[in-house]
Amino acid sequence: MAITAAQVKELREKSGAGVMDAKKALVETDGDMEKAIELLREKGMAKAAKKADRVAAEGLTGIYVDGNVAAVVEVNAETDFVAKNAQFVELVEATAKAIAEQKPANNEEALKVTLPSGETLEAAYVNATATIGEKISFRRFAIVEKTDDQYFGAYQHNGGRIGVITVVEGGDDALAKQVSMHVAAMKPTVLSYEELDQEFIHDELAQMNHKIDQDNESRAMVNKPALPHLKFGSKSQLTDEVIAQAEEDIKAELKAEGKPEKIWDKIIPGKMDRFMLDNTKVDQQYTLLAQVYIMDDSKTVEQYLDSVGAKVTTFERFEVGEGIEKSANDFESEVAATMAAALNN
């Protein structure tokens, strides 16, 4: 039977398939729309299966806020070019919205979430892989909730490669967004030192001291004094005894320098601040509250929030591709192999 342009248009709208794929499906099913949709779905699954082993480390984050619920998602593609494709962008936005509204508990449930079209996320990603021509995968999501008295800071950076949601109380929307901008730039992984594992702190401190050893080798070559090792890396290691000993050491130092005892009270607080700064380097790298605030570098994030009567209760930061092992030559190799095959035929 003859296939009309109207039928092809209808099938494309229902399936997202290309013109030729839609027309071929209608021809194979004698114009039966439902059978054509099913055929395209089966072909799409087959195409998706062929691409399943490919590395998809590019893509976008998506954020959607629905009242007191927000969702941040990461959706991956194989190339940055496809990550700018309008169909891909729409899929990311639809994914974030559906997850915020339906609140799945894990990735398995997330793939069963339904879109306004009636298809599941899983089906949508199979179809996107088939129609776009690259592996499109849903990687992860986080749902963040707040109370009526709290504020969401939603921020995306670098064209959506980084997505952040922060919850602030005692502030406002503008402060919440500023904190999210800080999170995007400074990459904290947890809120405070209380969330850092002691073994992790120990290992990070060892790496920092190894770096100091390397720096000292260079300093020795130009007759510069060696830098001291860091004894502590986190506030969790600074017990009352450690702090008391630090104060005693400072007093002994001031006495040795001949500083009058009557001015010690003016000097000691500043030196203790320096001691805390020098001995919380792990906190400063990984915890939000200990980092120097990018909007006011005279204060840490915690000190700044305290000064305005606010606090951060939680945050989520997604960066596209973090933790995925990329193979830079995969795509180039595939193109080269395709061209070689074409030349040999």
Side-chain angles (χ1 to χ4, degrees):
M1 65 175 287
I3 302 301
T4 67
Q7 287 175 295
V8 173
K9 182 175 182 292
E10 181 183 353
L11 181 55
R12 290 192 67 203
E13 290 173 349
K14 288 182 176 180
S15 66
V19 174
M20 294 308 298
D21 286 338
K23 186 173 182 180
K24 286 178 182 177
L26 286 167
V27 169
E28 287 184 42
T29 58
D30 292 326
D32 188 309
M33 191 64 63
E34 295 305 315
K35 288 183 178 179
I37 291 172
E38 180 62 20
L39 179 62
L40 285 171
R41 187 185 71 82
E42 291 173 356
K43 287 184 176 181
M45 291 178 69
K47 287 183 179 180
K50 290 180 181 178
K51 296 177 173 65
D53 292 334
R54 294 182 180 180
V55 176
E58 299 298 329
L60 290 174
T61 63
I63 294 177
Y64 185 81
V65 177
D66 181 25
N68 283 343
V69 179
V72 55
V73 303
E74 179 185 349
V75 181
N76 297 127
E78 294 178 57
T79 64
D80 184 54
F81 177 78
V82 163
K84 298 172 184 175
N85 174 289
Q87 182 184 349
F88 182 85
V89 173
E90 288 174 9
L91 179 59
V92 175
E93 292 172 350
T95 298
K97 183 175 187 293
I99 285 178
E101 293 174 342
Q102 298 175 50
K103 297 196 285 188
N106 50 47
N107 267 27
E108 185 178 356
E109 287 188 15
L111 290 173
K112 296 176 183 176
V113 161
T114 54
L115 298 172
S117 63
E119 69 179 342
T120 64
L121 274 188
E122 185 172 23
Y125 280 82
V126 168
N127 290 335
T129 296
T131 56
I132 292 176
E134 279 191 13
K135 178 182 177 180
I136 309 299
S137 61
F138 172 65
R139 186 184 182 197
R140 55 178 171 162
F141 74 95
I143 295 173
V144 181
E145 299 189 53
K146 71 174 186 67
T147 66
D148 290 338
D149 296 329
Q150 295 174 328
Y151 300 89
F152 277 135
Y155 176 70
Q156 287 178 280
H157 182 69
N158 195 15
R161 288 189 61 84
I162 298 172
V164 179
I165 298 175
T166 303
V167 176
V168 170
E169 64 180 47
D172 55 24
D173 290 327
L175 176 61
K177 184 173 181 179
Q178 286 177 359
V179 174
S180 289
M181 292 171 70
H182 173 99
V183 171
M186 301 306 293
K187 303 181 181 181
T189 58
V190 295
L191 185 61
S192 79
Y193 71 92
E194 295 171 333
E195 298 171 68
L196 294 178
D197 178 80
Q198 288 302 311
E199 185 176 349
F200 174 81
I201 294 169
H202 179 272
D203 291 345
E204 288 297 312
L205 191 58
Q207 290 187 40
M208 289 179 179
N209 282 327
H210 176 63
K211 177 65 168 58
I212 289 174
D213 287 338
Q214 291 178 319
D215 289 345
N216 283 340
E217 289 179 9
S218 300
R219 294 172 70 88
M221 293 179 185
V222 291
N223 297 317
K224 286 188 175 181
L227 300 171
H229 270 193
L230 302 172
K231 190 173 181 181
F232 306 103
S234 172
K235 192 174 180 180
S236 64
Q237 298 174 312
L238 303 182
T239 63
D240 291 342
E241 291 77 9
V242 169
I243 291 173
Q245 184 60 55
E247 290 181 352
E248 289 303 316
D249 292 344
I250 290 170
K251 289 177 182 178
E253 177 187 323
L254 294 175
K255 185 176 181 179
E257 292 174 355
K259 295 286 195 302
E261 193 167 340
K262 62 182 180 182
I263 67 169
W264 286 6
D265 288 346
K266 296 180 180 179
I267 300 174
I268 290 173
K271 285 188 172 289
M272 284 302 298
D273 286 345
R274 183 76 248 177
F275 172 83
M276 296 295 289
L277 198 63
D278 288 343
N279 288 280
T280 55
K281 297 294 187 183
V282 177
D283 292 352
Q284 292 165 43
Q285 184 168 345
Y286 294 101
T287 75
L288 172 60
L289 295 180
Q291 292 180 334
V292 174
Y293 190 36
I294 60 172
M295 303 296 178
D296 182 352
D297 62 9
S298 69
K299 297 180 177 69
T300 65
V301 172
E302 184 172 30
Q303 289 169 340
Y304 181 83
L305 292 173
D306 285 345
S307 73
V308 297
K311 70 176 184 178
V312 176
T313 62
T314 190
F315 72 90
E316 291 287 346
R317 181 188 188 278
F318 282 4
E319 183 167 352
V320 170
E322 59 187 350
I324 298 177
E325 194 169 322
K326 301 181 184 181
S327 178
N329 295 323
D330 281 353
F331 185 68
E332 289 86 345
S333 298
E334 186 176 328
V335 171
T338 302
M339 292 178 65
L343 292 171
N344 290 331
N345 289 334

